[in-house]
Amino acid sequence: MAKDAVAEHGESSKAPLVAAAGVNRAVAVVDIFLRFIAIIGTVGSAIAMGTTNETLPFFTQFIQFEAKYSDLPSFTFFVAANAVVCTYLVLSIPLSIVHIIRPRARYSRLFLVFFDTAMLALLTAGASAAAAIVYLAHKGNVRANWFSICQQFDSFCERISGSLIGSFAAMILLVVLITLSAFALARRH
């Protein structure tokens, strides 16, 4: 009878470990899914911004006004930041797969939290810089004599505005990824 009590005690102490591993495995599956969605957002934003240009004829076909993303350093930084974050997300997928196989892996999860946070900062900087220019393109600034260009370059403005959506969505997903990783680390005993 004493052996049964010891066996029951031993089994009950393993039950929370098995449950924690199951929760951490589920977190790892969600982690991979969110990384794939963030990849789609960042690559879509980079492509949408990087392929944006519009040319308007002015009086004759020899005099033309052109708007393209590479004319503005903030947009170039936006494309580069999205490309770097996308590359990081692709390269981080194998580590996320390791977390499915070994849900109790701690140091690799700390690695992901650290670099996810760094990529969030980079993506936030790029999206914020681009958002400021998009705002000026739409509204202008009367005090600085900067006029809105979106009445003339409507297609250009639509594309640059749309490219911000994927980037801001990826920022939200990175915040969720960091929170999930912190949750999985906190569940360790």
Side-chain angles (χ1 to χ4, degrees):
M1 188 123 177
K3 284 185 176 180
D4 292 338
V6 172
E8 287 179 16
H9 178 66
E11 290 173 0
S12 66
S13 66
K14 290 182 181 180
L17 293 177
V18 172
V23 170
N24 287 342
R25 186 169 282 127
V27 166
V29 170
V30 171
D31 183 91
I32 288 179
F33 179 71
L34 293 177
R35 285 184 192 281
F36 277 116
I37 294 174
I39 288 168
I40 293 168
T42 55
V43 82
S45 292
I47 290 171
M49 182 69 81
T51 58
T52 300
N53 62 4
E54 186 175 358
T55 304
L56 293 176
F58 185 72
F59 295 121
T60 67
Q61 93 184 63
F62 298 111
I63 301 173
Q64 297 180 344
F65 291 115
E66 184 176 28
K68 55 185 175 179
Y69 91 98
S70 60
D71 291 337
L72 298 160
S74 294
F75 289 163
T76 305
F77 175 59
F78 175 81
V79 171
N82 275 284
V84 168
V85 172
C86 181
T87 303
Y88 162 74
L89 288 169
V90 168
L91 294 175
S92 69
I93 287 176
L95 238 84
S96 293
I97 292 171
V98 166
H99 293 140
I100 292 174
I101 298 167
R102 297 186 60 209
R104 298 187 53 97
R106 180 179 175 100
Y107 294 112
S108 58
R109 197 167 295 275
L110 282 172
F111 176 84
L112 283 178
V113 168
F114 178 76
F115 282 104
D116 284 351
T117 305
M119 293 301 118
L120 175 62
L122 178 64
L123 194 58
T124 302
S128 298
I133 300 301
V134 168
Y135 178 81
L136 282 175
H138 281 284
K139 302 290 185 184
N141 187 335
V142 178
R143 291 183 181 153
N145 287 328
W146 293 338
F147 300 105
S148 170
I149 65 165
C150 285
Q151 287 92 13
Q152 294 84 19
F153 296 99
D154 57 340
S155 174
F156 178 77
C157 287
E158 287 175 7
R159 285 186 61 116
I160 61 174
S161 298
S163 69
L164 291 175
I165 294 170
S167 192
F168 280 109
M171 285 170 39
I172 292 169
L173 291 173
L174 279 170
V175 169
V176 172
L177 285 169
I178 292 166
T179 305
L180 280 175
S181 291
F183 172 75
L185 284 170
R187 290 192 49 84
R188 310 251 183 255
H189 298 317

